[in-house]
Amino acid sequence: MSENEEFDLFGDLSPKEQAISADVLRKLCNTRQLPVSPNNSLSDQRVRYLQSDRKANNAIGEYATLRSAQPMNFGLVFTAHERQSIIESVYSHVRDKGWTAQRHGAFPTRDIPVKDISVSEMVYDRLATSLFPSLQQHTGIDVKYWTFRDLFVIEYHEHHQRALELHSDGCLASLTLLLNDTSEFGGGGTFFEKFNLHIEQNPGDAWIHDGKLRHSGVEISRGQRLVMVAFMDTVGGHTNMLSQK
């Protein structure tokens, strides 16, 4: 892609997702004072990030890059009240339509797309305005290029899907966010093979990692664990699916 070439930032998304993403982008550009990014094309920024190591470089600045780094806790995104609203919206959708089970190819999850629940606009808006500026800082890719390739809620359940095997994601950056309280399940968490790291999240915290880091959903022993997952990428990025590395 040349620097003068035009593109549709949300061309791979559904009409509803395009409307939500376009509104979020307007809010980001109109309301936030963002760090100055390199004056070059998306292609250059993307290649520079993919070739970077854990140490910051001059183009990205003083922040550590996300590439090959350990997962980062970006902090609380949703309040307890907001998380409860999301959970209730998920349950309402499940009562009418049920869970999907075949959306992610080789690594199917028991999930529903966030775009289908009643509070989807709030979720998209909050995640983008909270995370995209930080992604710019940790990747060197301008905030205006980031979008969601997929955003969904996974259910781990003692009587259904208890775990998810090792895999990598088809995107630049991935989000894992626990929605329900830890008292409602036993076990669980996310395991990252490269670092031999098992993360047990606090509800509401946004954990971000490079999409190519192999990770698994650790088996729960009882109850139900609800996790929001986002695949975040740029124009010309990967497809909306889990892919084996």
Side-chain angles (χ1 to χ4, degrees):
M1 180 185 296
S2 68
E3 292 196 29
N4 295 324
E5 186 177 350
E6 294 184 358
F7 54 82
D8 180 0
L9 182 58
F10 307 115
D12 291 340
L13 308 180
S14 70
K16 183 173 182 179
E17 288 172 311
Q18 289 181 38
I20 293 172
S21 298
D23 182 60
V24 167
L25 180 60
R26 282 193 296 271
K27 292 178 181 179
L28 281 168
C29 293
N30 292 338
T31 65
R32 288 186 171 264
Q33 296 296 317
L34 298 169
V36 177
S37 59
N39 184 23
N40 50 29
S41 69
L42 166 60
S43 177
D44 289 341
Q45 293 178 27
R46 188 179 173 99
V47 168
R48 184 180 294 111
Y49 170 66
L50 291 174
Q51 293 177 343
S52 69
D53 58 19
R54 291 186 59 190
K55 297 179 180 179
N57 58 43
N58 291 334
I60 294 177
E62 64 182 9
Y63 300 93
T65 66
L66 188 66
R67 181 70 172 170
S68 299
Q70 289 195 20
M72 299 179 181
N73 185 351
F74 282 20
L76 190 67
V77 174
F78 300 109
T79 66
H81 176 73
E82 288 167 338
R83 286 190 289 105
Q84 187 58 39
S85 295
I86 295 169
I87 291 171
E88 290 175 359
S89 182
V90 167
Y91 286 151
S92 177
H93 176 84
V94 169
R95 283 194 294 270
D96 293 337
K97 301 292 181 62
W99 296 93
T100 66
Q102 299 297 326
R103 293 196 319 111
H104 293 127
F107 299 94
T109 52
R110 183 179 169 88
D111 65 61
I112 60 170
V114 166
K115 65 182 177 62
D116 291 341
I117 67 176
S118 62
V119 295
S120 60
E121 291 191 27
M122 181 275 286
V123 174
Y124 274 88
D125 184 283
R126 182 64 57 78
L127 289 177
T129 55
S130 298
L131 301 181
F132 287 179
S134 294
L135 283 173
Q136 174 175 302
Q137 293 174 341
H138 289 283
T139 64
I141 299 174
D142 198 293
V143 67
K144 68 184 178 182
Y145 293 128
W146 285 98
T147 191
F148 297 103
R149 292 298 176 183
D150 201 1
L151 179 58
F152 53 101
V153 175
I154 295 177
E155 181 199 45
Y156 294 98
H157 196 286
E158 61 180 312
H159 298 310
H160 301 288
Q161 183 177 17
R162 287 175 171 259
L164 185 62
E165 63 187 282
L166 277 170
H167 63 277
S168 58
D169 299 334
C171 57
L172 281 183
S174 300
L175 159 77
T176 303
L177 189 152
L178 178 64
L179 287 174
N180 62 325
D181 192 86
T182 55
S183 64
E184 298 176 9
F185 60 89
T190 308
F191 174 75
F192 293 88
E193 181 183 48
K194 179 176 181 178
F195 302 106
N196 192 29
L197 177 65
H198 179 196
I199 293 176
E200 298 181 84
Q201 297 170 283
N202 292 320
D205 278 353
W207 283 85
I208 309 295
H209 63 88
D210 186 273
K212 291 303 181 185
L213 276 182
R214 279 167 55 86
H215 57 285
S216 63
V218 178
E219 184 175 6
I220 64 169
S221 57
R222 62 172 178 83
Q224 178 194 50
R225 180 173 178 253
L226 294 175
V227 180
M228 183 177 292
V229 173
F231 297 160
M232 298 171 288
D233 213 308
T234 63
V235 178
H238 300 281
T239 55
N240 304 357
M241 61 182 292
L242 288 169
S243 60
Q244 188 171 15
K245 189 172 181 179

